[in-house]
Amino acid sequence: MVLIFGIPLQALLGQLLVGLINGSFYAMLSLGLAVIFGLLRIINFAHGALYMLGAFVGYLLLVYFSIGFWPSLILAPLAVGLFGIIIERVALSRLYDLDHLYGLLFTFGLALVIEGTFRYYFGASGQPYAMPALLSSGTNLGFMFLPNYRVFIVVASLVVCIATWFLIEKTRLGAYLRAATENPTLVRVFGINVPLLLTVTYGLGAALAGLAGILAAPIYQVSPLMGTNIVIVVFAVVVVGGMGSIGGAIIMGYMLGIFEGLTKVFYPEASNIVIFVIMAIVLLIRPAGLFGKIT
Amino acid sequence: MSEGRNLLSVRGLNAWYGGGHALHGVDLDVHKGETVTLIGRNGVGKTTTLRAIMGIIAKRTGEVRFDGQDLMTVPLHRIAHRGIGFVPEERGIFATLTVEENLFLPPLIAKGGISIDEIYELFPNLKERRASAGIQLSGGEQQMLAIARILRSGVKLLLLDEPTEGLAPVIVQRIGEILRTVKARGMTVLLVEQNFQFAAKVADRFYLMDQGLVVESFPTSELLARQAKLNEFLGV
Ligand SMILES: Nc1ncnc2c1ncn2[C@@H]1O[C@H](COP(=O)(O)OP(=O)(O)O)[C@@H](O)[C@H]1O
Ligand SMILES: [Mg+2]
C-alpha cells in the first residue's frame, strides 16, 4: 500500500475528492452571495434556505409529478430564481435606502420562515433523492473508485462558476453590474434601469443557490436543515475571499473545500473548524479578505 | 424667444439637500444648437442646477421642460433616453471598468451620435489606452473619456460641469476644440465654467448665478464690457 506522510494514498485521494465536491458547492454558493453583496450590499442570510429550496423543488417535482433530475436541473434554479425576484421586488427593494443591517435581518428572518415551513411539513430528517441513472455508476481508476456523479458535480460547478465569472467580467451586462456597484446613481443617469439590474442580480444569485441545491440532492439528503448547515461555512468562504470579490469567492470555495478534506485526513478532530480558523487568521491579517480591495 | 427654438427650459427650479435649500427658483433657457455657460462663485448652485435638471436630486420643485416635454415626472433612468447627457464635475469614470467599457456604458439613445471610430479619431489617447482600467487614467484623459462616452450615446443636449477644472493648458485647449466640433455638429451644450477665457471661446450666452438664483443673462459679445464688474462679482 502506498503511504504519503503515513496516510494511505487511497484515503488521501478519497478525502481530496470529498473536499473538491464540498468545495464545488462552497464555490457556487459563495459566488451567489458575492454577486448579491457586491451590487445590493445585502448580506443574504437566506442563501442557505434558497439552496434548500432548490433541492426541495427537485424532490417535490419527482414525488408529485414524476419529473426527474435532468428537467429539474433547469426547473429548480428557474423556480428559485423566480422566488428570489419576487422577494427582491416585494421586500428587499424597500430596504435599500435603510441601513444594511435591515437587509441582513430581513433575509435572516426569511431563512427562518422558509426553513420552519419545510420543517413543519417534512420534519427535520432528510429525504433521499435518487442519483440520475445516467451517472449512477463509476469508474475504477485502479487505485480508487471514482463515482461518475461526483465528477459531474465538479465539472458542472466549474462550468457554472466560469460562466458567471465571464458574464460579470467580460460582457456588457457585467459592465453595467460592475459600474452600478461603483456608482449606481451615475449608471441611472446614463439611462440604465438600475432597479431592474438589482432585481435580476438577486434572481441570478438565488438561481445559483437553487442550482447548487438540486445538484446536492442526490448526494446529500434533501432536508429542511441542509441550508443552515452549509451557509455558515459559505459565509466564512466569502469573508476569506473578500466580500464582493467574484474571483475570490470561486477560488476560495474550491481551496477551502479541499483544505477541509485534507484536514479530515491529517487531523480529523479539526476538520469542522479549520475553515473558521482560517477565516479568523485572514480577518486578523487582511480584514478585506484575500482578494478584496480595501475601501 | 419662441418656444420652438427652446430645447431646455427651466422655470422656478428649487432644490434641497436634506434640509438645506440650495436653489431658490432658477430660470434659464437653452436654445437648439446653442452653447450656454453658467458662471458664478463656488457654492452658488451651478452643479446643483445641473443635478436638479437631470433629476439626480429628488427633492426639487419647479418646471423642467426638454423639447417641450415635462421632465419632472420622468424616472431618473429614463431622462437620458429623452436626449440629455451629463458629464459630472467629478467626471465619474468607473475605476474597475476599462476605458472601452466606460465608453460603451451609456446606451445608444438616438442615431446621430459620434461613432466609435470618430471618437477614437477625436481622442487618440483613449484609443491607445482602451484596455487600461479607468483608474489608471490621468485627470485630462478622464475628462476626455467622460465627454467621449456621452458624445457616443447620441444625446441632443450635453450638461457639462467644469470640464477644465484643474487641467493643463494644452488639455484645456483640446477640450475647447472638441466643444467647437460638437457645436458644429449641432449639439446643444449647457456648460458650467469658471474659466472665462475658455468659456468666451465656446459660449454664445452667459448666465450669472448667485445664491441659488440666476441673476443676469448676457451674450458673449458683452463679456468684455462686463469683465471688470464680473471679476469683482466673482471675486477673481
Ligand atoms: N451633497 C451635498 N449635500 C449637502 N449640501 C450640498 C451638497 N452639494 C452641494 N451642497 C450645497 O449646495 C450649495 C450649492 O452647491 P453647488 O451646486 O455644488 O455649487 P457650485 O457648483 O456652484 O460650486 C452649496 O451651499 C453647497 O454647500
Ligand atoms: Mg460645482
Side-chain angles (χ1 to χ4, degrees):
Chain A
M1 189 164 32
V2 185
L3 293 182
I4 295 177
F5 302 119
I7 308 284
L9 181 62
Q10 256 163 314
L12 189 67
L13 289 174
Q15 285 305 332
L16 254 181
L17 182 62
V18 170
L20 197 56
I21 301 287
N22 287 337
S24 298
F25 290 108
Y26 297 162
M28 277 187 286
L29 289 171
S30 56
L31 174 60
L33 269 185
V35 170
I36 290 171
F37 179 79
L39 192 58
L40 281 68
R41 298 282 139 184
I42 279 182
I43 298 176
N44 185 34
F45 255 94
H47 218 65
L50 296 172
Y51 162 79
M52 179 271 286
L53 269 184
F56 261 101
V57 169
Y59 171 78
L60 294 173
L61 283 176
L62 184 66
V63 171
Y64 290 103
F65 302 98
S66 303
I67 294 174
F69 176 80
W70 297 108
S72 286
L73 201 54
I74 310 277
L75 293 174
L78 267 183
V80 178
L82 201 64
F83 178 72
I85 284 172
I86 293 168
I87 292 296
E88 197 277 345
R89 276 292 83 205
V90 172
L92 287 178
S93 58
R94 295 164 203 272
L95 302 177
Y96 295 144
D97 292 336
L98 305 175
D99 193 290
H100 300 322
L101 199 56
Y102 287 89
L104 185 150
L105 286 174
F106 172 77
T107 55
F108 187 61
L110 180 68
L112 293 179
V113 170
I114 296 173
E115 281 164 357
T117 307
F118 277 79
R119 249 181 111 159
Y120 178 78
Y121 286 106
F122 298 95
S125 64
Q127 322 282 334
Y129 184 91
M131 190 113 354
L134 191 64
L135 296 171
S136 57
S137 62
T139 315
N140 196 340
L141 300 178
F143 54 90
M144 71 180 286
F145 181 77
L146 192 60
N148 285 345
Y149 186 71
R150 304 202 171 220
V151 177
F152 171 73
I153 284 182
V154 175
V155 173
S157 150
L158 272 174
V159 168
V160 166
C161 287
I162 291 170
T164 309
W165 176 86
F166 186 86
L167 175 74
I168 289 169
E169 298 295 336
K170 298 291 165 200
T171 67
R172 182 76 59 90
L173 176 67
Y176 290 166
L177 292 175
R178 281 176 287 135
T181 301
E182 270 189 58
N183 186 346
T185 304
L186 190 57
V187 174
R188 283 191 83 183
V189 165
F190 286 166
I192 294 160
N193 190 342
V194 174
L196 181 65
L197 272 186
L198 298 175
T199 307
V200 169
T201 300
Y202 194 78
L204 183 74
L208 275 173
L211 180 66
I214 179 67
L215 281 172
I219 50 169
Y220 306 127
Q221 300 228 303
V222 178
S223 118
L225 296 180
M226 63 192 283
T228 324
N229 299 336
I230 198 169
V231 77
I232 302 298
V233 177
V234 170
F235 273 110
V237 171
V238 172
V239 170
V240 172
M243 292 300 287
S245 162
I246 306 298
I250 297 174
I251 293 169
M252 290 325 293
Y254 290 110
M255 279 187 50
L256 290 178
I258 291 170
F259 218 81
E260 193 185 34
L262 290 179
T263 311
K264 273 190 198 128
V265 181
F266 290 104
Y267 193 60
E269 294 84 347
S271 64
N272 283 333
I273 58 161
V274 63
I275 288 180
F276 301 102
V277 172
I278 293 173
M279 178 181 86
I281 295 169
V282 167
L283 279 179
L284 284 175
I285 299 168
R286 270 187 70 102
L290 295 181
F291 294 81
K293 285 177 212 77
I294 296 160
T295 47
Chain B
M1 199 183 307
S2 77
E3 265 296 314
R5 292 197 304 148
N6 241 357
L7 190 59
L8 178 73
S9 123
V10 175
R11 291 288 173 277
L13 187 61
N14 280 262
W16 291 263
Y17 288 108
H21 198 170
L23 298 185
H24 298 263
V26 169
D27 296 323
L28 61 83
D29 293 289
V30 185
H31 306 148
K32 282 193 177 113
E34 249 189 340
T35 298
V36 173
T37 300
L38 215 50
I39 53 172
R41 249 191 258 258
N42 271 331
V44 296
K46 305 182 297 297
T47 297
T48 306
T49 301
L50 299 190
R51 292 165 62 90
I53 290 170
M54 280 315 284
I56 299 169
I57 298 175
K59 211 171 164 193
R60 57 182 182 148
T61 62
E63 193 183 298
V64 177
R65 290 186 167 274
F66 182 72
D67 232 353
Q69 289 182 315
D70 172 46
L71 284 190
M72 292 296 278
T73 54
V74 178
L76 182 52
H77 62 262
R78 300 295 315 163
I79 299 274
H81 295 270
R82 297 295 177 93
I84 309 182
F86 180 49
V87 179
E89 197 169 0
E90 68 283 2
R91 289 148 199 169
I93 298 307
F94 294 96
T96 57
L97 273 61
T98 64
V99 167
E100 198 150 75
E101 283 174 332
N102 266 286
L103 262 178
F104 282 95
L105 194 72
L108 286 183
I109 55 151
K111 286 197 185 111
I114 303 186
S115 73
I116 189 69
D117 294 336
E118 274 180 280
I119 291 277
Y120 281 147
E121 232 168 83
L122 274 173
F123 305 90
N125 274 19
L126 297 183
K127 184 173 188 180
E128 242 168 71
R129 309 213 54 182
R130 63 184 183 276
S132 310
I135 201 169
Q136 296 170 321
L137 297 186
S138 69
E141 289 168 329
Q142 288 196 10
Q143 188 59 265
M144 300 287 180
L145 177 54
I147 296 172
R149 67 183 171 188
I150 299 300
L151 296 183
R152 198 196 133 264
S153 71
V155 293
K156 288 186 258 179
L157 171 67
L158 178 61
L159 307 183
L160 194 50
D161 199 349
E162 302 213 31
T164 66
E165 198 181 3
L167 299 181
V170 277
I171 298 174
V172 172
Q173 206 181 344
R174 188 78 196 93
I175 293 175
E177 285 163 21
I178 286 157
L179 284 187
R180 280 189 293 276
T181 308
V182 161
K183 188 175 179 173
R185 294 179 63 120
M187 195 185 265
T188 309
V189 180
L190 177 54
L191 173 73
V192 167
E193 190 51 71
Q194 308 265 25
N195 180 342
F196 268 127
Q197 265 186 319
F198 172 81
K201 285 184 198 146
V202 294
D204 300 299
R205 285 193 297 129
F206 283 81
Y207 282 114
L208 176 64
M209 278 193 80
D210 192 31
Q211 297 183 10
L213 278 172
V214 167
V215 290
E216 264 186 78
S217 156
F218 55 90
T220 303
S221 56
E222 290 177 21
L223 187 65
L224 219 56
R226 289 169 179 259
Q227 185 104 42
K229 209 179 125 209
L230 283 171
N231 281 347
E232 192 184 328
F233 192 91
L234 298 171
V236 289

